[in-house]
């Protein structure tokens, strides 16, 4: 079973894309509306920010969860004991953003969110009737006017050789949200776990757009769409000298949206943040 690379402009793109999501938890789009040049510029500008001391002026707010998270406070994946080797910045339109970076990153946030709404319509259109009957409202409507969708700008620094044994850039985890929209990073390393427990590389040519299912869509679809485990492995050889920048957009419904009999967005998110040790 392979993650499918689907041409966004093809007539049968919605069917092929949703089939890949169902089978692997991941789908990859080419010829999509998010321009390579925009992504390249964001990577360059945020890399400069992560290399500056200015980042410490934006230390994260524990209540709002916006701002800069240093490697000292970065996540420990559920079920793991070692922190990931990364630092990152949480971008929300209502949050704090360095002024020189704001216009470009908010433009990206809107472009990616608009595309995400279309992809959620694809998912709904190709959900079996007994699955879509459980959606409390249109999937794309769940993210309409939401303040909760999170854009995370990630910086995986070059490896120094003194990393904690067993620590990797991003330990195996599942995402919490509905869908994650991810332009391919500037360096490889992303892998998804097959049903037999083995790992496969996600097609990550620069310009590809990688989409994966999160736990909230798994919950809303009663398990029909699987939230699959993925990780970012450490580079070896010369590649270990390079930084890796990544830009996942985590689509979150509005807080009151009902995912299932058990959970709203808010109750589900709180449960998972406690497990991650960030709440």
């Amino acid at each position: 079973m392979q993650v499918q690379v689907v041409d966004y402009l093809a007539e049968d793109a919605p069917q092929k894309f949703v089939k890949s999501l169902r089978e692997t938890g991941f789908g990859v789009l080419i010829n999509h509306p998010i321009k390579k040049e925009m992504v390249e510029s964001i990577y360059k500008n945020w890399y400069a920010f992560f290399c500056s001391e200015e980042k410490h002026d934006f230390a994260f707010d524990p209540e709002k969860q916006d701002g800069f998270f240093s490697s000292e406070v970065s996540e420990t994946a559920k079920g793991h004991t070692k922190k990931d080797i990364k630092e990152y910045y949480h971008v929300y339109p209502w949050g704090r953003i360095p002024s020189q970076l704001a216009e470009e990153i908010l433009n990206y946030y809107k472009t990616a969110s608009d595309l995400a709404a279309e992809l959620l319509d694809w998912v709904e259109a190709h959900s079996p009737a007994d699955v879509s009957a459980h959606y409390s409202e249109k999937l794309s409507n769940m993210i309409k006017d939401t303040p909760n969708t999170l854009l995370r700008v990630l910086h995986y620094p070059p490896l120094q050789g003194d990393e904690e044994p067993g620590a990797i850039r991003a330990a195996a985890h599942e995402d919490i949200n509905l869908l994650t929209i991810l332009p391919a990073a500037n360096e490889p390393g992303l892998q998804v776990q097959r049903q037999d427990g083995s790992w496969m590389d996600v097609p990550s040519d620069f310009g590809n757009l990688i989409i994966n299912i999160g736990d909230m869509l798994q919950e809303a679809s009663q398990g029909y769409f699987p939230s699959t485990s993925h990780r970012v492995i450490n580079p070896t050889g010369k590649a270990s000298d390079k930084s890796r920048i990544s830009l996942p957009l985590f689509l979150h419904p509005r807080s009151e949206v009902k995912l299932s009999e058990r959970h709203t967005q808010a109750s589900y998110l709180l449960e998972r943040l406690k497990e991650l040790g960030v709440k």
Side-chain angles (χ1 to χ4, degrees), residues 1 22-25 192-200 226 228:
M1 205 72 78
R22 161 79 170 143
E23 290 175 350
T24 67
V192 59
Q193 193 165 32
R194 295 187 180 96
Q195 286 172 342
D196 66 4
S198 63
W199 293 89
M200 61 178 162
T228 41

Side-chain angles (χ1 to χ4, degrees), residues 165-235:
I168 66 170
R169 284 183 156 175
H173 64 283
E174 300 81 46
D175 291 347
I176 302 172
N177 41 290
L178 283 174
L179 286 179
T180 302
I181 311 288
L182 177 75
N186 63 333
E187 291 291 323
L190 181 63
Q191 296 185 325
V192 59
Q193 193 165 32
R194 295 187 180 96
Q195 286 172 342
D196 66 4
S198 63
W199 293 89
M200 61 178 162
D201 292 331
V202 176
S204 296
D205 293 348
F206 191 70
N208 286 3
L209 192 68
I210 300 156
I211 295 95
N212 66 276
I213 292 166
D215 293 346
M216 288 184 183
L217 183 54
Q218 180 174 271
E219 181 80 14
S221 67
Q222 299 205 317
Y224 180 80
F225 288 107
S227 176
T228 41
S229 216
H230 51 285
R231 66 184 184 183
V232 179
I233 56 171
N234 291 345

Side-chain angles (χ1 to χ4, degrees), residues 47-66:
Y47 174 68
F49 173 77
F50 284 118
C51 291
S52 76
E53 289 304 306
E54 186 192 1
K55 63 188 180 185
H56 299 294
D57 298 339
F58 291 87
F60 81 103
D61 180 321
E63 277 309 303
K64 295 179 178 169
Q65 294 280 312
D66 69 326

Side-chain angles (χ1 to χ4, degrees), residues 28-37 39-40 43 182-186 203-210:
V28 175
L29 293 177
I30 56 172
N31 295 325
H32 51 81
I34 294 174
K35 300 280 176 278
K36 263 190 202 180
E37 296 76 22
V39 173
E40 215 160 13
Y43 286 176
L182 177 75
N186 63 333
S204 296
D205 293 348
F206 191 70
N208 286 3
L209 192 68
I210 300 156

Side-chain angles (χ1 to χ4, degrees), residues 104-153:
E104 179 179 64
I105 204 72
L106 290 174
N107 183 20
Y108 174 82
Y109 185 103
K110 182 177 187 319
T111 305
S113 294
D114 289 347
L115 175 60
E118 182 184 8
L119 299 181
L120 284 170
D121 285 340
W122 288 9
V123 168
E124 183 151 2
H126 295 281
S127 296
D130 60 329
V131 172
S132 57
H134 291 287
Y135 300 150
S136 64
E137 58 185 273
K138 256 185 88 170
L139 291 178
S140 59
N141 201 56
M142 290 182 180
I143 62 166
K144 189 172 168 25
D145 300 325
T146 179
N148 300 324
T149 287
L150 162 64
L151 178 58
R152 176 182 281 177
V153 190

Side-chain angles (χ1 to χ4, degrees), residues 36-93:
K36 263 190 202 180
E37 296 76 22
M38 179 196 257
V39 173
E40 215 160 13
S41 176
I42 289 170
Y43 286 176
K44 179 171 71 78
N45 293 334
W46 280 84
Y47 174 68
F49 173 77
F50 284 118
C51 291
S52 76
E53 289 304 306
E54 186 192 1
K55 63 188 180 185
H56 299 294
D57 298 339
F58 291 87
F60 81 103
D61 180 321
E63 277 309 303
K64 295 179 178 169
Q65 294 280 312
D66 69 326
F68 171 67
F69 292 69
S70 71
S71 54
E72 285 76 40
V73 296
S74 125
E75 290 168 316
T76 302
K78 182 181 172 183
H80 295 264
T81 55
K82 295 175 174 42
K83 282 194 180 300
D84 291 346
I85 308 168
K86 66 190 183 190
E87 57 183 359
Y88 50 91
Y89 196 102
H90 279 183
V91 174
Y92 294 98

